[in-house]
Amino acid sequence: MRKDRTGISQDDDRSPPADLRGAESSNKTRNCCGVGSVSGSTGPISMEFQAPCPDQVLENVLENVLQFLSSRRDRNAASLVCKSWWRVEALTRSDLYIGNCYSVSPRRAMSRFSRVQSVSIKGRPRFADFNLMPIDWGAHFTPWVTAMASAYPWLEKVYLKRMSVTDDDLALLAESFPSFKELVIVCCDGFSTSGLAIVASDCRQLKVLDLIESEVTDDDVDWIACFPESGATCLESLIFDCVECSINFDALESLVVRSPSLKKLRLNCNVSIGQLCRLIVRAPQLTHLGTGSYSSPDDAVPGEHASDLQSALSACKSLVCLSGFKEMLPDYLPAIYPVCANLTSLNFSYANIHSDQIISVIFHCHNLQVLWVLDSIRDEGLQAVASTCKDLRELRVFPLDARGDNEGPVSDVGLQAISEGCRKLRSILYFCQHMTNAAVIAMSRNCPDLEVFRLCIIALHSPDHVTGKPMDEAFGYIGKYGKLLRTLSVAFAGDSDMGLKYVLEGCPRLQKLEIRDSPFGDAALHSGLHHYYNMRFLWMSSCRLSPKGCQEIVRALPRLVVEVIKHDVAVCPDDTVDILYMYRSLEGPRDDAPKVVTILQ
Amino acid sequence: MEGCMAFDKELNLEATELRLGLPGIKESEKQPSSTIKSNKRAFPNMDEKSCGSKDSSKASHAQKCNQEIASPSKAQVVGWPPVRSYRKNCFQAKTMEAEAAGVYLKVSMDGAPYLRKIDLKIYKGYPELLKALEDMFKFSMGEYSESEGYNNGSEFVPTYEDKDGDWMLVGDVPWDMFISSCKRLRIMKGSEARGLGCAV
């Protein structure tokens, strides 16, 4: 796999080759630097009375220089220069990013990086969100927090995505890190409001508590009231729109009043518009606002709070990000017009309103970079986006009706328009009923910065509805033009192995590939052998893989962990592979896999 | 998924099929694609030459299927479309179209590795729902009686959590009350379920 290193760009997750060779010894550092010609003849005793050797001076200098390196890709590159740089980089790295919690063990990570203040860990692959993985598949935070409790006493920040987190984990976190400042939990589960209460009450330096798209069990604990009751808090960000429990509003209002640094506040849907007004008035310095339900069920007159809301919002001069609108009442839509011009991010994906109402908002949003919206925006709405939002980087179009029974309010027409109007697009998620090869090709041609491409054609096995051809050609173009592509999701698509081959051979930056219900077999799987060590993971479910084909991967690439997961605990025919999930790892097979998972060896 | 089901229908396997279920369930209420099994495509070892012809026959099977099986079968393909359930549930009472979006609930079974989600709205009553659960998790639950719940050695018993957070036996309340108050389902081991609802 050596030849990959030259061709592949800075892959942020790749460990340096030194690790692959096994344990290092500090004696070897002398040979690496090439400074002076230390022959190793000086014995340890006489060393004590000598001036620091040139190597040591260099290391001190390096340490002072490398601590300014913040990008982890730069750091990964620096660590590959030589042993000395490797060691100094490890000492000066303060942000630890683990893209796959099973690629490296906590012990190994912590023995290399001893001065970490911020840790990010990602666990399950994205398809786990759609019940394609067994409940107890893994990705437990417990071994990580347990190891960090002793290794990183000065830990300040934790970011978790798709991990299983327990209340005990949160309690250990609150207890072990006196300087703890930021907790960001995304798409996780396993904890409850009891865990939140502990964090709120015990983390006295807490600046950020962000709960995003996570499942939080309602233990009936009033966690908002658990923040320290007197004195100003350090809170800068409080995001809890996914926490589906009732909120003690008075405690929340009091908390907002006591948090002068609060910039980000995203409420859950148990906050009404009247309450929203009261909060905004207390926090005009907000930059990010999640509006909660954006509904007012007790209105005597529809829209009676509208002018209050509008003036409260107008007072928020720094507002750049709006979300919420979970039960949006159109009467209150005009209240947001004054803030639209400054918005860089708008999440309208819960706003069940007409296309022309959405367009009326879009026309004010010239600076939008991120837009999440429902497909009720229709193709006309996407055309409005294409002509107004020239700076758009990320677009997500979600289906209003998940069953997909309608003719499809958005189609290739909308996608084509976006590709022509929003040339800076980097990330797209697009649900539609039908698509054409031409529109997908246009997207890959017109948007050269595209890194994340997720297209979901809800009508299964639907061909190009203009030419009638299968959607395979699209893969060829992705392979040809998707040179920066890092993430690709494929479902119910493709006609033969060629589709997957185009992608694996044509996208050198591809790191995450998830495929379900597509006719790709062993030959297609093998076409990626040159690339799998550069990827974070590959997921293939309900494709045409055989156990023999997967076993050959294990033989060819011993550093991959190849998991074969069954749909059923009961015996199924052993000549098919239900789910293949494979990822590079320094640790070999994990020991916490449930019974439905077989790790090939 | 639909192609697979129509293929089976052509072979008329249904006529010889052994089924578990509550008495009085109509033949046509079968929910073929609600089991994980349906994800396994009926692809025998095909070489690439036959790909083309299979595709056209698949297309006609799919069409046939769409006529015979109502649209809910699409929604019952596991994890499809890939939309998280909080998003699916969001619009239930408020869609502008006449048919509301479904009520997606989690179903777990003690000892089963996978969580499932089902759309309660597509079932018209308890018999259909229970049959679907039996198919989904491959178990049988015995007969329901008001006084004794699910009796006679059934290892598993369907229960649900209602809006107040109480765990109840499925079937204890009228159907309409059930679908408006049910938050999630759990197929519990029979021994644990004693003491729920009516069964004393």
Side-chain angles (χ1 to χ4, degrees), chain A residues 80 84 88-89 205 314 341 343 434 521 537 551 553 575:
Chain A
L80 294 176
S84 183
V88 174
E89 190 283 312
Q205 316 272 348
S314 307
L343 287 185
H434 305 289
F537 70 78
Q551 194 67 50
I553 300 286
D575 54 352

Side-chain angles (χ1 to χ4, degrees), chain A residues 28 55 122 134 157 247-248 284 288 330 358 385 426 477 504 565 568 588:
Chain A
K28 293 189 183 157
D55 292 349
K122 295 186 179 178
K157 302 184 199 181
I247 285 290
N248 176 344
H288 293 58
I358 305 176
V385 171
R426 291 192 200 154
Y477 279 87
L504 287 171
I565 308 171
D568 242 305

Side-chain angles (χ1 to χ4, degrees), chain A residues 129-131 133-135 213 215 349-350 352 402-403 405 431 458 460-461 492 495 516 565-567 578, chain B residues 1 36 40-41 55 71 78-82 84 86-87 91 94 100 104 106 113-115 117 138:
Chain A
D129 293 350
F130 316 117
N131 292 356
M133 247 187 174
I135 316 166
E213 292 190 35
E215 283 196 34
S349 66
Y350 294 98
N352 188 2
R403 289 174 310 178
D405 283 339
F431 281 86
I458 301 179
L460 303 181
H461 305 297
F492 302 102
D495 209 40
R516 65 168 291 185
I565 308 171
K566 291 197 190 138
H567 281 314
D578 290 340
Chain B
M1 320 314 98
I36 291 183
K40 296 199 179 119
R41 290 156 47 113
D55 272 347
S71 54
V78 174
W80 191 261
R84 296 175 60 127
Y86 61 75
R87 199 172 268 290
F91 305 107
K94 292 169 178 85
Y104 289 87
K106 282 196 213 178
Y114 290 88
L115 204 58
K117 290 193 177 138
K138 299 190 185 47

Side-chain angles (χ1 to χ4, degrees), chain A residues 129-136 162 187 213-215 217 244 326-327 347 349-354 372 374 376 398-406 431 433 456-461 491-492 495-498 516-519 542 544 565-569 572-573 576 578-579 596, chain B residues 1-3 36-41 43-48 51-52 55 58 62 71-72 74-75 77-88 90-91 94-97 99-102 104 106-109 111-119 121-122 136-138 183-184:
Chain A
D129 293 350
F130 316 117
N131 292 356
L132 294 178
M133 247 187 174
I135 316 166
D136 55 350
R162 292 200 182 91
C187 296
E213 292 190 35
S214 296
E215 283 196 34
T217 311
E244 288 177 2
K326 296 250 170 128
E327 292 161 27
N347 182 351
S349 66
Y350 294 98
N352 188 2
I353 52 180
H354 280 287
W372 291 23
L374 286 172
S376 42
F398 292 95
L400 172 62
D401 181 355
R403 289 174 310 178
D405 283 339
N406 50 34
F431 281 86
Q433 286 294 325
C456 182
I457 306 173
I458 301 179
L460 303 181
H461 305 297
F492 302 102
D495 209 40
S496 72
D497 280 350
M498 287 318 296
R516 65 168 291 185
D517 293 279
S518 302
S542 302
R544 294 188 203 173
I565 308 171
K566 291 197 190 138
H567 281 314
D568 242 305
V569 185
C572 24
T576 56
D578 290 340
I579 302 172
V596 280
Chain B
M1 320 314 98
E2 293 120 307
I36 291 183
K37 193 173 58 168
S38 70
N39 262 345
K40 296 199 179 119
R41 290 156 47 113
F43 290 107
N45 295 324
M46 284 167 37
D47 39 301
E48 304 207 292
C51 245
D55 272 347
K58 226 190 328 176
S71 54
K74 274 194 216 162
V77 172
V78 174
W80 191 261
V83 173
R84 296 175 60 127
S85 56
Y86 61 75
R87 199 172 268 290
K88 286 182 192 174
C90 206
F91 305 107
K94 292 169 178 85
T95 39
M96 299 180 302
E97 282 88 42
E99 303 158 46
Y104 289 87
K106 282 196 213 178
V107 188
S108 64
M109 173 155 135
Y114 290 88
L115 204 58
R116 298 301 305 277
K117 290 193 177 138
I118 58 169
D119 178 1
K121 284 254 159 109
I122 69 175
M136 213 182 276
F137 290 99
K138 299 190 185 47
K183 271 176 40 180
R184 66 178 141 146

Side-chain angles (χ1 to χ4, degrees), chain A residues 176-472:
Chain A
S176 311
F177 309 120
S179 312
F180 195 73
K181 296 189 171 64
E182 295 188 21
L183 181 61
V184 180
I185 294 184
V186 182
C187 296
C188 297
D189 59 17
F191 62 102
S192 74
T193 44
S194 303
L196 293 182
I198 301 174
V199 171
S201 72
D202 294 356
C203 298
R204 294 295 164 125
Q205 316 272 348
L206 199 65
K207 286 189 186 175
V208 172
L209 180 57
D210 290 351
L211 307 162
I212 298 168
E213 292 190 35
S214 296
E215 283 196 34
V216 184
T217 311
D218 185 359
D219 255 9
D220 260 342
V221 172
D222 185 359
W223 60 281
I224 290 278
C226 291
F227 282 95
E229 277 182 20
S230 59
T233 74
C234 315
L235 269 185
E236 295 175 9
S237 175
L238 180 62
I239 294 178
F240 62 96
D241 44 0
C242 65
V243 183
E244 288 177 2
C245 63
S246 53
I247 285 290
N248 176 344
F249 181 75
D250 290 335
L252 177 62
E253 190 176 16
S254 157
L255 179 64
V256 169
V257 166
R258 296 196 318 274
S259 305
S261 307
L262 194 67
K263 293 282 195 296
K264 300 185 188 181
L265 179 64
R266 286 182 14 195
L267 308 164
N268 71 9
C269 56
N270 293 327
V271 177
S272 67
I273 284 195
Q275 291 172 327
L276 175 67
C277 277
R278 280 165 62 180
L279 291 175
I280 300 176
V281 156
R282 306 291 204 168
Q285 74 281 6
L286 287 178
T287 57
H288 293 58
L289 176 64
T291 59
S293 67
Y294 212 69
S295 171
S296 199
D298 300 328
D299 273 0
V301 173
E304 63 181 340
H305 297 287
S307 59
D308 287 342
L309 181 60
Q310 181 151 339
S311 58
L313 279 173
S314 307
C316 297
K317 304 290 181 199
S318 316
L319 208 56
V320 293
C321 174
L322 261 190
S323 60
F325 308 108
K326 296 250 170 128
E327 292 161 27
M328 181 166 208
L329 280 182
D331 300 295
Y332 287 103
L333 188 61
I336 66 174
Y337 290 162
V339 295
C340 285
N342 281 342
L343 287 185
T344 54
S345 172
L346 176 62
N347 182 351
F348 247 14
S349 66
Y350 294 98
N352 188 2
I353 52 180
H354 280 287
S355 167
D356 43 3
Q357 289 168 321
I358 305 176
I359 292 174
S360 72
V361 171
I362 294 292
F363 272 143
H364 293 98
C365 300
H366 300 277
N367 290 314
L368 217 53
Q369 294 182 15
V370 175
L371 176 63
W372 291 23
V373 77
L374 286 172
D375 62 2
S376 42
I377 193 177
R378 306 189 68 88
D379 286 328
E380 305 88 81
L382 291 174
Q383 285 163 336
V385 171
S387 61
T388 315
C389 308
K390 292 303 182 189
D391 226 7
L392 200 68
R393 312 289 162 100
E394 176 180 326
L395 175 65
R396 296 196 193 189
V397 181
F398 292 95
L400 172 62
D401 181 355
R403 289 174 310 178
D405 283 339
N406 50 34
E407 308 88 54
V410 299
S411 69
D412 54 292
V413 171
L415 191 68
Q416 180 89 30
I418 293 288
S419 79
E420 288 164 9
C422 305
R423 298 295 177 114
K424 298 190 195 170
L425 203 66
R426 291 192 200 154
S427 167
I428 182 160
L429 168 67
Y430 197 85
F431 281 86
C432 55
Q433 286 294 325
H434 305 289
M435 187 44 59
T436 61
N437 281 307
V440 175
I441 289 162
M443 178 62 63
S444 14
R445 271 198 171 140
N446 294 339
C447 301
D449 294 339
L450 206 60
E451 290 176 15
V452 176
F453 182 82
R454 293 191 190 126
L455 174 65
C456 182
I457 306 173
I458 301 179
L460 303 181
H461 305 297
S462 125
D464 181 325
H465 75 103
V466 167
T467 67
K469 284 196 212 170
M471 290 292 297
D472 251 358

